[in-house]
Amino acid sequence: MAAGAGGLAAAALLLALAGPRPVPAELTDGNNEHLKREHSLMKPYQGAGSAAMPLWDFTGSTMVTSQYVRLTPDERSREGSIWNRVPCFLKDWELHVHFRIHGAGKKNLHGDGLALWYTQERLTPGPVFGSKDNFHGLAIFLDTYPNDEATERVFPYISAMVNNGSLTYEHSKDGRGTELAGCSADLRNQNHDTFLAVRYSRGRLTVMTDVEDKNEWKNCIDIAGVQLPTGYFFGASAGTGDLSDNHDIISMKLFQLMVEHPLEDETVDWTKIEPRVSLLKSPKDNVDDPTGNFRSGPLTGWKVFLLLLCALLGIIVCAVVGAVVFQKRQERNKRFY
């Protein structure tokens, strides 16, 4: 990991000691009054079948049809992406993605996966699921192929990464060294709709899935201490290698969250802050964690809370025992007078 990784790979703020983990965030029900159409991709796609779409640009193997935007076909060595043209200046937002990953390949004979982006860069092809490495911003990876033969994870696997341009995504390790958190999700070759929700509000990043045809969100990632600038771009990309899949985007809907911020936030220039995360442990510690989730590491929020609680109880017990011993000594001393 590069020495210039800043606070991304070595953050250890005491904010995580404040108590138990928060309950999963409630996701919006998709109320249209908060829908930001300038950042949303929905049917009917304007300009379908042409090389131009209002508000959106696409590159590589991306093909726009009347029913879906196909980032890659089920063919080897293809990559494609689609990017919003309008920078997003919302401090609190929620992205709902309706997607489909499918193909003819059997178990572990398909790949590579799909990525969702909120980044400074756009329309730049590269090795990370069809987009550039060393990016600035947030990436959510839907990885369908295990490159690390020693991994104990169950694929497909969803993970999150925040980068200030100094970190490199390592494909041979499935990005474990720079991953913040993740979960397994059976999202490939489903006969029903599959959805992903990404919520960012007041420094808290939440990712949820709806891939089991239950019409309910399931918690996947929940991280506090995330700082993302405004003015970045939303996008999606996908790539195939020796193995392949169809990677389709049906819709991307962005909702504005109406959230109150402290007064000091009004003096912050949110376009100038650096993407970073304040974690209790470094993402690199996931190398020895087969789940890849920092919450299951040796010092999770719950474990720290229990440790502090035990320490407090120990102090109370010692104080009580000391008081009893002192009182008995006082009574014994009175007998000598």
Side-chain angles (χ1 to χ4, degrees):
M1 185 172 295
L8 289 175
L13 294 184
L14 295 179
L15 292 175
L17 301 178
R21 287 182 48 75
V23 296
E26 291 294 330
L27 296 187
T28 180
D29 60 1
N31 191 331
N32 282 333
E33 75 180 43
H34 300 307
L35 176 67
K36 308 303 288 184
R37 294 187 178 276
E38 66 271 27
H39 301 299
S40 298
L41 176 69
M42 299 176 294
K43 293 188 289 187
Y45 312 117
Q46 297 185 35
S50 69
M53 292 179 65
L55 302 177
W56 293 85
D57 293 313
F58 55 93
T59 63
S61 59
T62 302
M63 178 179 64
V64 181
T65 74
S66 61
Q67 299 300 314
Y68 53 78
V69 176
R70 177 154 293 170
L71 301 177
T72 72
D74 191 359
E75 299 174 2
R76 297 168 59 180
S77 301
R78 305 297 294 272
E79 61 182 35
S81 66
I82 186 165
W83 291 89
N84 191 204
R85 292 180 181 176
V86 184
C88 178
F89 291 97
L90 303 177
K91 293 195 292 289
D92 305 272
W93 48 264
E94 184 173 302
L95 179 68
H96 291 191
V97 182
H98 182 189
F99 68 95
R100 188 171 182 227
I101 301 177
H102 59 106
K106 303 301 181 182
K107 183 178 180 180
N108 290 343
L109 293 176
H110 50 81
D112 283 319
L114 183 150
L116 303 173
W117 305 92
Y118 175 68
T119 57
Q120 184 180 57
E121 305 86 357
R122 62 187 294 271
L123 290 172
T124 308
V128 185
F129 299 95
S131 194
K132 79 180 297 291
D133 206 346
N134 302 105
F135 57 91
H136 294 76
L138 169 70
I140 306 295
F141 301 122
L142 286 68
D143 194 349
T144 58
Y145 180 75
N147 292 285
D148 186 358
E149 296 180 357
T151 186
E152 297 179 27
R153 294 177 179 175
V154 177
F155 279 71
Y157 190 84
I158 300 172
S159 64
M161 177 180 175
V162 171
N163 200 349
N164 61 3
S166 65
L167 302 180
T168 299
Y169 181 87
E170 190 176 6
H171 267 287
S172 62
K173 297 295 183 181
D174 300 311
R176 196 183 308 182
T178 50
E179 174 194 331
L180 298 175
C183 71
S184 298
D186 189 10
L187 50 80
R188 183 182 177 271
N189 268 358
Q190 297 291 355
N191 293 321
H192 52 261
D193 291 334
T194 48
F195 299 89
L196 187 81
V198 183
R199 179 187 178 102
Y200 177 68
S201 180
R202 298 189 65 176
R204 182 179 172 192
L205 176 67
T206 307
V207 178
M208 288 191 173
T209 61
D210 179 6
V211 298
E212 299 175 357
D213 201 24
K214 295 182 179 180
N215 196 31
E216 62 183 24
W217 295 112
K218 183 177 180 180
N219 194 30
C220 175
I221 296 170
D222 195 355
I223 312 170
V226 178
Q227 292 200 30
L228 296 174
T230 59
Y232 281 11
F233 297 91
F234 288 101
S237 68
T240 66
D242 292 335
L243 302 173
S244 62
D245 254 341
N246 297 301
H247 297 92
D248 300 341
I249 298 290
I250 291 88
S251 68
M252 296 175 65
K253 299 179 181 179
L254 188 78
F255 298 89
Q256 180 178 9
L257 302 178
M258 311 307 292
V259 178
E260 292 187 3
H261 283 259
L263 292 177
E264 54 266 28
D265 283 0
E266 296 181 3
T267 62
V268 176
D269 186 349
W270 293 92
T271 64
K272 296 293 194 297
I273 68 172
E274 182 180 79
R276 61 183 181 272
V277 183
S278 303
L279 291 177
L280 189 60
K281 79 171 196 175
S282 167
K284 67 182 180 181
D285 294 337
N286 290 329
V287 171
D288 298 320
D289 179 4
T291 67
N293 197 326
F294 74 88
R295 289 172 290 179
S296 61
L299 280 178
T300 63
W302 275 110
K303 290 183 179 179
V304 171
F305 174 74
L306 293 176
L307 181 62
L308 293 176
L309 180 61
C310 290
L312 180 60
L313 292 176
I315 292 173
I316 294 174
V317 170
C318 290
V320 172
V321 171
V324 172
V325 171
F326 178 79
Q327 185 177 1
K328 288 186 177 297
R329 285 183 178 177
Q330 290 291 91
E331 292 175 356
R332 187 182 307 168
N333 290 337
K334 288 180 182 179
R335 298 191 188 115
F336 293 100
Y337 293 99

